Amino acid sequence: MTIARDLLKAVEFTAEKHRDQKRKNVEASPYINHPIQVAEMISTVGGIDDLAVLMAAILHDTVEDTETTFDEIDNAFGPEVRDLVAEVTDDTTLDKAERKRLQIEHTAHMSDRAKLIKLADKTCNVRDVAQSPPKDWDMARRVGYLEWASRVVDGCRGTNAAMERYFDETLARARKALKIKK
Ligand code: ZN
């Protein structure tokens, strides 16, 4: 088994699933940029070379944001990757406010491997909300996102010191950019 082959297979699968989606920023960046950045951060900042974690990081938004099913992920990548993706996937039958509340509650009970994905996901999103936010978000919504993300990350503490520090630095920069006093 080669690591490169499996990782590239996950990238190819994910690119195909998100092919019609753009990020909500003004640049309308291709959606695939986001999961690639999340996996890259886990590898580069976190120093993690756990293949299942990196594959699940690439795949992390496919079930939540596309038509992909957990069975498909299981068939293509096996139960270990499937379970990691399931851990970081919201229950989309619930409304947005309830999903946000549950993320704070559930994150603390996740496996350490899932927490790595959650940490990198929130770090990327915090950076994006400061630098290239969704174009219809007003300031209150951006500020609210940062505070919520920081509460979710509180549930990930004690998992990977370098990634937690990187989140804290990214959050501090974002607060400064949005002129939030903390
Ligand atoms: Zn994400």
Side-chain angles (χ1 to χ4, degrees):
M1 181 194 73
T2 81
I3 289 177
R5 185 195 61 201
D6 288 352
L7 200 53
L8 289 169
K9 190 175 151 197
V11 172
E12 204 275 332
F13 177 96
T14 303
E16 181 63 20
K17 291 297 185 181
H18 289 296
R19 69 178 184 274
D20 296 325
Q21 291 177 315
K22 305 276 189 196
R23 298 291 282 171
K24 293 184 199 125
N25 53 18
V26 243
E27 298 87 4
S29 316
Y31 198 94
I32 188 69
N33 292 9
H34 167 69
I36 290 174
Q37 284 162 1
V38 169
E40 198 264 350
M41 190 178 288
I42 294 171
S43 165
T44 312
V45 180
I48 303 292
D49 57 8
D50 179 332
L51 179 61
V53 169
L54 296 173
M55 287 169 71
I58 294 285
L59 293 158
H60 81 273
D61 279 332
T62 53
V63 176
E64 200 168 296
D65 291 338
T66 77
E67 305 288 287
T68 310
T69 64
F70 288 123
D71 279 350
E72 263 182 283
I73 295 194
D74 201 329
N75 290 334
F77 306 106
E80 194 183 7
V81 173
R82 177 212 177 274
D83 287 351
L84 282 168
V85 174
E87 276 197 85
V88 297
T89 299
D90 282 355
D91 179 350
T92 50
T93 62
L94 303 171
D95 71 40
K96 194 90 190 163
E98 180 65 358
R99 284 164 59 179
K100 294 195 93 164
R101 193 187 66 76
L102 284 174
Q103 266 203 48
I104 295 171
E105 213 172 279
H106 287 166
T107 300
H109 306 290
M110 282 179 180
S111 67
D112 282 355
R113 296 165 97 200
K115 284 178 183 175
L116 293 171
I117 300 170
K118 200 46 107 177
L119 255 169
D121 188 30
K122 289 293 174 276
T123 307
C124 287
N125 287 343
V126 161
R127 185 181 59 197
D128 289 348
V129 162
Q131 289 176 4
S132 58
K135 55 180 186 296
D136 57 339
W137 282 28
D138 61 15
M139 190 51 91
R141 188 157 176 198
R142 293 166 74 187
V143 170
Y145 185 89
L146 299 188
E147 298 323 306
W148 170 73
S150 134
R151 292 188 63 197
V152 174
V153 166
D154 282 344
C156 301
R157 300 278 171 192
T159 308
N160 183 292
M163 285 181 63
E164 288 160 46
R165 204 176 321 117
Y166 192 65
F167 174 83
D168 292 338
E169 289 162 8
T170 305
L171 181 66
R173 267 195 299 275
R175 281 175 171 154
K176 205 167 162 203
L178 301 192
K179 303 194 165 41
I180 304 169
K181 301 233 172 1
K182 259 279 159 109

